[in-house]
Amino acid sequence: MLNPKDFDVPANYQHWEGDKAEDRIGPFFFARQNGRIETAFRAEDRHCNAHNAVHGGVLMTFADYTLCLGANGGEQQFVATVSCNNEFLAPANKGDLLLGEAEVLKRGRSLVFVRCVIRAGDVAILTASAVIKLLR
Amino acid sequence: MLNPKDFDVPANYQHWEGDKAEDRIGPFFFARQNGRIETAFRAEDRHCNAHNAVHGGVLMTFADYTLCLGANGGEQQFVATVSCNNEFLAPANKGDLLLGEAEVLKRGRSLVFVRCVIRAGDVAILTASAVIKLLR
Amino acid sequence: MLNPKDFDVPANYQHWEGDKAEDRIGPFFFARQNGRIETAFRAEDRHCNAHNAVHGGVLMTFADYTLCLGANGGEQQFVATVSCNNEFLAPANKGDLLLGEAEVLKRGRSLVFVRCVIRAGDVAILTASAVIKLLR
Amino acid sequence: MLNPKDFDVPANYQHWEGDKAEDRIGPFFFARQNGRIETAFRAEDRHCNAHNAVHGGVLMTFADYTLCLGANGGEQQFVATVSCNNEFLAPANKGDLLLGEAEVLKRGRSLVFVRCVIRAGDVAILTASAVIKLLR
């Protein structure tokens, strides 16, 4: 179990176990706050692109993490992303603590609709929305 | 300069230099074929999620790579993704050679519209479309 | 100037003049409330599809109206939609008063990023997000 | 049954019966050509916005028509759009014959993934992709 403090993320966030690609791209962390899933990761040099901004793929992966945890509520329920739309609002930089907040708009029997905004401080960095399938 | 052969990718593909996050998530490779940009990467264990399928974030990052190279034609022209929409068609597995093909639909003065399909053999894995901004 | 009361929409909403297609598909109405743009239209039989639910194209057009007015703040500033993503959460029915709320996430020099949810009472019907270009 | 010739659309296209909103926004027509669904409509003054270009909502509705008919193959199989993403490439004008072509990328048991480009002559006007649900 990865420790958020080792990645300069506040200690109230926890790690979702079992996804090696996610850990390699991030790692990312989550917390349940007021019935919502919130997520966090600290941008380091290895997350950055040729412009020294956080890479779009890292941001989309973090958004997908946020949306999937929003859909499964942080439980060990497996999910699969059906579609994921992203808009890039502003660049994030090395050292930024990136925070995501998942908002579930509709929870169906097999499909969950979620959207999120990723922020660095007061600045909105990325907005995303997804259709997520609940797997048995 | 990374060598495609070291990553089990055909030798006619080349590496786009300078993006450390991309290399860490991939690495990915590209080639100009018949006036189009084609891209490739070999899925390994470290690209996979908890289901041993290629992680959605890796696929979206590879799609973004494909779309951005489609927009800049593989040149050292810098670009930034404005929006990127993804639909997940089928899972890809460890060992698959994933191939992308960028199709530029409109090249404006500052915005380029591109779409792509990522395939493993005959199976369509992911389709994506993006608005890409050309940077000065 | 169309009167909201003639279309069973509350009197505090107003009409945005000059778009004949919009009036024919809707008409739709808007109000500035607490610094935000809110929109409204009453679903009638002519807005419905073969299932007697409000047609997806009508909903996307109403979402686009909401997003564009969010981007121009209800002023006579012309705008053009660059991209618009929609997710359909639940069906809306004949007789429903559909209300939209635009949330501007980033206002750049030439591009504005907006998202909205369309609701019928407490039920979220459609969520959409767009990149909108400000025209001179 | 609406006649394509009454709407300045080639006679090999046919009308999909039963959707009053669609007919009011369009009407639109379709044909099966080489195993694919192609669609058509003639832009008239009533389809245009304040700039005398075809309204974005009309274009998204025509794209949705194209995508849904792509999903059901032009049969009386009912479908519902789950998500629909649109990028606006160029304006279309009054008098243009708009042609759409649906490309099914994946046909699952309950979900179909389709994309399309809407063109006016050689000019790509709109690209869209959707997740479509097959209804029983």
Side-chain angles (χ1 to χ4, degrees):
Chain A
M1 182 87 68
L2 298 177
N3 188 333
K5 288 161 66 186
D6 294 341
F7 298 92
D8 207 5
V9 163
N12 60 312
Y13 289 89
Q14 62 182 104
H15 184 243
W16 195 90
E17 223 42 38
D19 198 316
K20 50 196 167 290
E22 214 154 78
D23 289 347
R24 195 157 163 275
I25 300 175
F28 309 127
F29 298 90
F30 77 98
R32 285 185 205 80
Q33 317 249 37
N34 317 313
R36 279 206 180 176
I37 291 293
E38 296 186 11
T39 57
F41 96 103
R42 177 73 64 178
E44 299 178 30
D45 194 49
R46 63 199 165 102
H47 299 117
C48 291
N49 62 18
H51 313 287
N52 290 310
V54 179
H55 189 277
V58 175
L59 291 173
M60 290 196 289
T61 304
F62 181 52
D64 184 55
Y65 173 87
T66 304
L67 296 162
C68 285
L69 280 165
N72 76 5
E75 305 296 334
Q76 277 293 330
Q77 157 80 55
F78 286 120
V79 297
T81 308
V82 175
S83 68
C84 182
N85 181 64
N86 304 271
E87 280 127 23
F88 294 83
L89 308 169
N93 299 306
K94 183 180 152 180
D96 283 345
L97 178 64
L98 291 162
L99 298 176
E101 189 173 350
E103 182 188 1
V104 176
L105 291 167
K106 163 80 179 284
R107 190 176 289 283
R109 255 185 333 124
S110 74
L111 298 180
V112 182
F113 295 79
V114 204
R115 63 178 188 172
C116 72
V117 179
I118 306 300
R119 288 190 166 82
D122 286 345
V123 182
I125 302 295
L126 179 86
T127 181
S129 60
V131 180
I132 309 275
K133 192 172 191 172
L134 301 173
L135 304 177
R136 246 126 289 219
Chain B
M1 181 86 69
L2 298 178
N3 188 334
K5 288 160 66 186
D6 295 340
F7 297 91
D8 207 5
V9 164
N12 60 312
Y13 288 89
Q14 63 182 103
H15 184 244
W16 195 90
E17 223 43 37
D19 198 315
K20 49 196 168 291
E22 215 154 78
D23 290 346
R24 196 159 161 275
I25 299 175
F28 308 127
F29 297 89
F30 76 98
R32 283 184 207 82
Q33 318 248 38
N34 317 314
R36 280 205 178 175
I37 291 293
E38 297 186 11
T39 58
F41 97 102
R42 176 73 63 179
E44 300 178 29
D45 194 51
R46 64 199 164 102
H47 299 117
C48 291
N49 63 18
H51 313 289
N52 289 310
V54 179
H55 189 278
V58 175
L59 291 173
M60 289 197 289
T61 304
F62 181 52
D64 185 54
Y65 173 86
T66 304
L67 296 161
C68 285
L69 280 165
N72 76 5
E75 305 296 333
Q76 277 293 331
Q77 157 80 55
F78 285 120
V79 297
T81 308
V82 175
S83 68
C84 182
N85 181 64
N86 303 270
E87 280 127 23
F88 294 82
L89 308 169
N93 299 307
K94 182 178 152 181
D96 284 346
L97 178 65
L98 291 163
L99 298 176
E101 188 173 349
E103 182 188 0
V104 175
L105 290 168
K106 163 81 180 282
R107 189 176 289 285
R109 253 184 335 123
S110 75
L111 298 180
V112 182
F113 296 78
V114 204
R115 64 177 187 171
C116 71
V117 179
I118 306 301
R119 288 190 166 83
D122 285 345
V123 181
I125 301 296
L126 180 86
T127 180
S129 60
V131 180
I132 309 274
K133 192 172 192 172
L134 301 173
L135 303 177
R136 245 125 290 218
Chain C
M1 181 87 68
L2 299 178
N3 189 334
K5 289 161 64 186
D6 295 340
F7 298 91
D8 206 7
V9 163
N12 60 312
Y13 289 89
Q14 63 182 102
H15 185 244
W16 195 90
E17 223 43 36
D19 198 316
K20 49 197 168 293
E22 214 154 77
D23 289 346
R24 195 158 162 275
I25 299 175
F28 308 127
F29 297 90
F30 76 98
R32 282 184 207 82
Q33 317 250 36
N34 317 313
R36 280 206 178 173
I37 290 294
E38 296 186 13
T39 57
F41 96 103
R42 178 73 65 178
E44 300 177 29
D45 194 50
R46 63 198 165 103
H47 300 116
C48 291
N49 62 19
H51 314 287
N52 289 310
V54 179
H55 189 278
V58 174
L59 290 174
M60 289 197 289
T61 304
F62 181 52
D64 185 54
Y65 173 86
T66 303
L67 296 162
C68 285
L69 280 165
N72 76 5
E75 305 296 333
Q76 277 293 329
Q77 157 80 53
F78 286 120
V79 297
T81 307
V82 175
S83 68
C84 182
N85 181 64
N86 303 271
E87 280 126 24
F88 294 83
L89 309 168
N93 301 306
K94 182 179 154 181
D96 283 345
L97 178 64
L98 290 163
L99 299 176
E101 188 173 349
E103 182 188 359
V104 175
L105 290 167
K106 164 80 180 284
R107 188 176 291 284
R109 254 183 336 121
S110 74
L111 298 180
V112 183
F113 295 79
V114 204
R115 63 178 189 171
C116 71
V117 178
I118 307 301
R119 288 191 166 82
D122 285 344
V123 182
I125 301 296
L126 180 86
T127 181
S129 60
V131 180
I132 309 274
K133 192 172 191 171
L134 301 173
L135 303 177
R136 244 124 297 205
Chain D
M1 181 86 70
L2 299 177
N3 188 334
K5 289 161 64 186
D6 295 341
F7 298 91
D8 207 5
V9 163
N12 60 311
Y13 289 89
Q14 63 182 104
H15 185 244
W16 195 90
E17 223 43 36
D19 198 315
K20 49 196 167 294
E22 215 154 75
D23 289 346
R24 196 159 162 273
I25 299 175
F28 308 127
F29 297 89
F30 77 98
R32 283 185 207 82
Q33 317 250 36
N34 317 313
R36 280 206 177 174
I37 290 293
E38 296 186 12
T39 58
F41 96 102
R42 178 73 64 179
E44 299 177 29
D45 195 49
R46 63 199 165 101
H47 300 116
C48 291
N49 63 18
H51 313 287
N52 289 312
V54 179
H55 190 277
V58 174
L59 290 174
M60 289 197 289
T61 304
F62 181 52
D64 184 54
Y65 173 85
T66 304
L67 296 162
C68 285
L69 280 165
N72 76 5
E75 306 295 333
Q76 277 293 328
Q77 156 80 53
F78 286 121
V79 298
T81 307
V82 175
S83 68
C84 182
N85 182 64
N86 304 271
E87 280 125 24
F88 294 83
L89 308 169
N93 299 308
K94 182 179 154 181
D96 284 345
L97 178 65
L98 290 162
L99 298 176
E101 188 173 350
E103 181 187 1
V104 175
L105 291 167
K106 164 81 180 283
R107 189 176 290 283
R109 254 183 335 120
S110 74
L111 298 180
V112 182
F113 295 79
V114 204
R115 63 178 189 173
C116 71
V117 178
I118 307 301
R119 289 190 165 83
D122 286 344
V123 182
I125 301 296
L126 179 86
T127 181
S129 59
V131 180
I132 309 275
K133 193 174 190 169
L134 302 173
L135 303 177
R136 248 126 285 222

